[in-house]
Amino acid sequence: MPERVLCQSQDLLERGLAQRFTLQWGGRERSAFVFRYDGGVYAYINECAHIPIELDFNPGDFFDYSHSWLVCSTHGAYYAPNTGLCLGGPCSGRKLISLPVREYANQVYLIEEQHE
Ligand code: FES
């Protein structure tokens, strides 16, 4: 499976700012983001499960003040960083679209799949 370098490992601080990127998904270009949480790396399409708009308040700023949850800046839905499950807000029980990523040799990679 082809892989694409998204960023350097050092670019992702624990529960810090995410790195935004774009990819082709569902036949069009989509915004996505990758971040570090509890030592692991996670990536999602940057689209709220409530209304399909971007989540971040400022570019790359997805975590709440406690750095425990990903929060939608529009209506405040909050998501578990490691699963993308919405735990509160207007889309409770729905999930962000996760993307496969992995980290090795000090780089973070998107595992590219075909999404027609
Ligand atoms: S658009 Fe995200 S909670 Fe409404």
Side-chain angles (χ1 to χ4, degrees):
M1 197 88 57
E3 296 179 334
R4 171 181 148 199
V5 176
L6 295 177
C7 62
Q8 304 299 307
S9 291
Q10 66 198 29
D11 296 334
L12 299 180
L13 301 180
E14 175 66 30
R15 305 185 189 209
L17 288 178
Q19 295 283 318
R20 290 170 52 114
F21 61 97
T22 59
L23 79 165
Q24 287 295 318
W25 180 281
R28 63 185 173 96
E29 187 174 81
R30 306 284 283 273
S31 171
F33 61 104
V34 61
F35 60 93
R36 187 178 303 283
Y37 174 77
D38 284 355
V41 291
Y42 299 88
Y44 298 101
I45 297 283
N46 189 4
E47 196 171 273
C48 187
H50 177 217
I51 295 171
I53 54 177
E54 295 189 354
L55 295 156
D56 41 344
F57 183 71
N58 291 308
D61 192 359
F62 292 87
F63 276 100
D64 72 331
Y65 288 122
S66 72
H67 296 269
S68 299
W69 316 105
L70 305 176
V71 176
C72 175
S73 61
T74 301
H75 304 119
Y78 58 97
Y79 296 89
N82 58 343
T83 64
L85 179 65
C86 180
L87 299 172
C91 44
S92 186
R94 297 172 68 185
K95 293 182 85 171
L96 300 175
I97 299 170
S98 67
L99 298 169
V101 287
R102 69 180 188 134
E103 180 176 31
Y104 65 92
N106 296 315
Q107 292 187 309
V108 178
Y109 296 82
L110 173 68
I111 301 168
E112 297 192 298
E113 300 172 329
Q114 293 289 14
H115 303 287
E116 298 307 321

